[in-house]
Amino acid sequence: MPEIKFYNHEPIPMEMHKVKIVQQLTLLPVDERVKRIKDAGYNTFQLHNGDIFMDMLTDSGVNAMSDNMQSAMLRADDAYAGSETFYRMQKKLEEIFGIHYLLPAHQGRACENILTERFVKPGNCVIMNYHFTTAKAHITRVGGRVEELVKQEGLEPKSDLPFKGDIDLEALEACIKKETPENVPFIRIESGTNLIGGQPVSYANMKAATDIAKKYGIITVMDASLLQDNLYFIKKREAGMEDKSIRELTRMIADLFDIIYFSGRKFGFARGGGILVRDEAMYHSMEDLVPMFEGFLTYGGMSVKEMEAMTVGFDESMDMDVISQGPQFVDYCVRKLDEYGVPVITPGGGLGAHLNAMEFCAHIPQQEYPAGALAAAMYIAGGIRGMERGTLSEERNADGSERFASMELLRLAFPRRVFTLSQTEYVIDRVEWLYDHRDLIGGLRFIHEPKTLRFFTGILEATSDWPEKLAEAYKAEFGADQ
């Protein structure tokens, strides 16, 4: 998206597309929203889509398809084995990444399951810049553990550091020596670290980290689910990269890694996923796991229509005008909120705007899940569904005690090509109102707590009648029908 200049208006993000299909939205009255979030166990995952005005839960599988993506779905080849759709997808990925072997899977966490089954043994240590919930859950499920080595400054909520997802290189080498290379099945670098604000990793850091891995003979894996945002930030923020095309940057990054996996629900704008494997023998060591867990090797649990759309989406992800919209809308939202004084993660990353619930709700103790409470309050205050990214998204320690997250964030995701700037302004307005009434927000406690990935299906209750009090303050400001 180019920076279009205005004659008599401040610069604002410009959508480089026009809207051709729309979906009706409904804003329920505030008292009804209180009822719906209570019925959902104060868990935004449990809300029905009809309950929601603006769905900012995630960008996973909810990005808007282009006209070219939708038209490509009409040529899908639905053969169980040997589908031409698969070979078109494989060819496009090889063109972009330079890696021939592709293992298809129905989404990113399925790729993580296959990689874990193949490489991780009890007692192994997988090193990462930062974990993603499902990646960590798969590893711990089989008796492995995760060591997170993101640079300490990457966890500072407010900064101007351009690449807060960078791994600490000294700590990386020290960890390898401590664990011994034999006990480290692979090093995982997540492009666009999801849980700390969608913050990018620099090319220089990826290069240095993979050089260290090669020195010790350790496999390198990149989670490319948020690669498109990371590519945008490398081109805009990293010295010497401004003249590189998105395709050039993608190939430079891909050449560093042994394995690249992705969720097509994010990268590719459709529903699916895949593992790209450079080495033929390594590919064959995993290929039996696809029919075991996913489907045959030429569809991997995906709809072939989605695969055709995704193949076009990969091309669109190489277009700066396409991939810039998300980061620019996030940046606009973050800057406006920061100017107002709302505690928000800076600089703006990819994926979404991230409210710092630790500061926003400083009066709520961490054991009462401040980010989860802020998510519920955000729904009450505007019909806006965000996602908790904090202690609620962690799993308890083996002794049953809470594992407190290093950050308590409410993520307001910006699905690609979905929201307009006026809707973004509405979000900013409601966040500012909620911040001015933050003392009314109270805590949450579990009444049904699943053992694994509890944030998806857990049921909670409010620790007091704070939702009703928040709604009364809202009605005094906006009326009962909004």
Side-chain angles (χ1 to χ4, degrees):
M1 188 187 304
E3 294 183 0
I4 295 176
K5 296 180 179 179
F6 287 76
Y7 170 62
N8 198 22
H9 197 286
E10 63 175 310
I12 55 175
M14 283 286 289
E15 298 89 342
M16 297 301 291
H17 60 265
K18 58 184 178 182
V19 177
K20 301 175 74 174
I21 299 175
V22 297
Q23 182 179 24
Q24 186 72 30
L25 295 175
T26 302
L27 178 60
L28 297 175
V30 62
D31 285 336
E32 188 62 26
R33 297 200 295 270
V34 172
K35 180 181 183 301
R36 300 294 173 94
I37 193 66
K38 183 177 181 180
D39 290 346
Y42 294 93
N43 182 345
T44 56
F45 275 97
Q46 298 298 310
L47 289 166
H48 294 197
N49 192 45
D51 301 335
I52 297 157
F53 180 53
M54 289 187 62
D55 193 357
M56 306 183 80
L57 184 79
T58 183
D59 66 339
S60 180
V62 293
N63 297 300
M65 287 190 186
S66 68
D67 51 355
N68 290 326
M69 291 177 69
Q70 291 197 12
S71 62
M73 296 171 80
L74 297 175
R75 69 171 183 173
D77 176 6
D78 60 0
Y80 181 90
S83 169
E84 293 299 332
T85 290
F86 170 81
Y87 295 112
R88 283 191 283 268
M89 180 177 173
Q90 181 186 42
K91 182 179 180 182
K92 179 58 64 178
L93 287 167
E94 185 173 9
E95 171 194 316
I96 292 172
F97 290 98
I99 300 175
H100 175 68
Y101 297 103
L102 167 64
L103 294 165
H106 78 272
Q107 65 181 94
R109 71 195 56 174
C111 301
E112 293 164 349
N113 176 55
I114 290 169
L115 292 170
T116 299
E117 289 287 332
R118 167 62 179 84
F119 292 108
V120 182
K121 303 293 188 296
N124 281 173
C125 175
V126 178
I127 302 174
M128 305 180 180
N129 52 343
Y130 208 78
H131 82 280
F132 183 62
T133 49
T134 54
K136 183 176 181 179
H138 280 300
I139 290 164
T140 57
R141 175 180 59 82
V142 299
R145 54 192 172 82
V146 168
E147 192 72 36
E148 297 171 325
L149 300 180
V150 70
K151 286 185 175 181
Q152 189 59 38
E153 53 263 41
L155 300 177
E156 294 292 331
K158 289 183 70 67
S159 79
D160 56 4
L161 191 70
F163 295 101
K164 292 169 76 172
D166 280 359
I167 196 167
D168 186 322
L169 298 171
E170 290 185 7
L172 171 61
E173 190 151 20
C175 186
I176 292 171
K177 290 178 179 177
K178 176 186 174 184
E179 294 290 339
T180 73
E182 295 74 23
N183 198 47
V184 180
F186 59 83
I187 295 169
R188 173 185 173 272
I189 300 295
E190 183 177 329
S191 60
T193 43
N194 193 312
L195 297 185
I196 59 171
Q199 297 294 324
V201 185
S202 66
Y203 172 78
N205 187 257
M206 292 186 201
K207 176 70 165 59
T210 53
D211 282 348
I212 291 171
K214 289 181 176 67
K215 173 181 172 183
Y216 291 97
I218 299 173
I219 294 167
T220 54
V221 175
M222 180 175 70
D223 180 348
S225 300
L226 293 173
L227 178 63
Q228 59 190 17
D229 293 339
N230 211 120
L231 289 165
Y232 170 84
F233 289 120
I234 288 175
K235 185 171 175 64
K236 296 292 285 187
R237 295 178 181 176
E238 189 163 358
M241 299 298 177
E242 59 275 1
D243 294 328
K244 301 286 186 184
S245 71
I246 296 299
R247 286 182 180 271
E248 287 176 312
L249 290 173
T250 302
R251 182 59 68 87
M252 288 168 58
I253 291 170
D255 287 347
L256 302 176
F257 291 89
D258 299 304
I259 295 172
I260 297 173
Y261 78 92
F262 61 89
S263 168
R265 299 173 71 92
K266 297 177 182 289
F267 178 67
F269 307 126
R271 295 169 182 83
I275 306 172
L276 297 169
V277 188
R278 193 173 299 281
D279 179 74
E280 182 179 5
M282 192 179 293
Y283 163 81
H284 287 307
S285 75
M286 286 186 277
E287 66 180 345
D288 62 314
L289 297 174
V290 174
M292 176 73 74
F293 293 114
E294 298 297 305
F296 192 66
L297 286 166
T298 53
Y299 75 96
M302 286 184 278
S303 157
V304 287
K305 290 182 174 63
E306 297 276 355
M307 292 168 70
E308 289 285 5
M310 197 186 308
T311 301
V312 176
F314 295 143
D315 254 340
E316 293 182 359
S317 295
M318 297 293 104
D319 184 337
M320 189 66 169
D321 283 349
V322 173
I323 67 173
S324 62
Q325 185 195 350
Q328 287 191 17
F329 267 56
V330 171
D331 176 67
Y332 180 83
C333 183
V334 166
R335 284 189 293 105
K336 290 289 187 180
L337 292 174
D338 188 45
E339 289 169 6
Y340 193 79
V342 175
V344 62
I345 300 301
T346 62
L351 206 163
H354 292 72
L355 308 183
N356 178 12
M358 200 91 81
E359 186 178 343
F360 199 116
C361 300
H363 57 288
I364 301 177
Q366 238 182 320
Q367 62 265 28
E368 293 184 9
Y369 313 116
L374 183 55
M378 192 75 253
Y379 175 71
I380 294 170
I384 300 162
R385 173 161 73 165
M387 185 190 294
E388 187 272 358
R389 300 277 71 174
T391 297
L392 198 62
S393 293
E394 293 283 352
E395 295 180 3
R396 290 184 181 270
N397 296 312
D399 63 1
S401 61
E402 282 284 8
R403 179 184 289 118
F404 292 117
S406 54
M407 304 184 86
E408 295 282 346
L409 305 180
L410 171 60
R411 185 180 78 195
L412 300 175
F414 280 83
R416 308 306 186 269
R417 303 180 288 202
V418 171
F419 296 129
T420 64
L421 193 60
S422 64
Q423 290 170 320
T424 303
E425 292 285 9
Y426 171 82
V427 172
I428 293 167
D429 181 80
R430 290 306 189 262
V431 171
E432 290 175 353
W433 180 87
L434 190 58
Y435 182 62
D436 287 342
H437 296 79
R438 60 192 179 276
D439 290 344
L440 295 175
I441 306 171
L444 301 174
R445 56 179 167 245
F446 271 106
I447 55 177
H448 165 63
E449 183 178 352
K451 184 177 180 181
T452 303
L453 299 175
R454 61 185 182 173
F455 66 94
F456 280 132
T457 56
I459 301 297
L460 301 100
E461 64 181 3
T463 56
S464 68
D465 62 349
W466 69 260
E468 290 78 12
K469 290 179 178 178
L470 183 66
E472 288 303 315
Y474 183 91
K475 284 188 286 187
E477 189 84 40
F478 299 104
D481 60 342
Q482 290 195 24

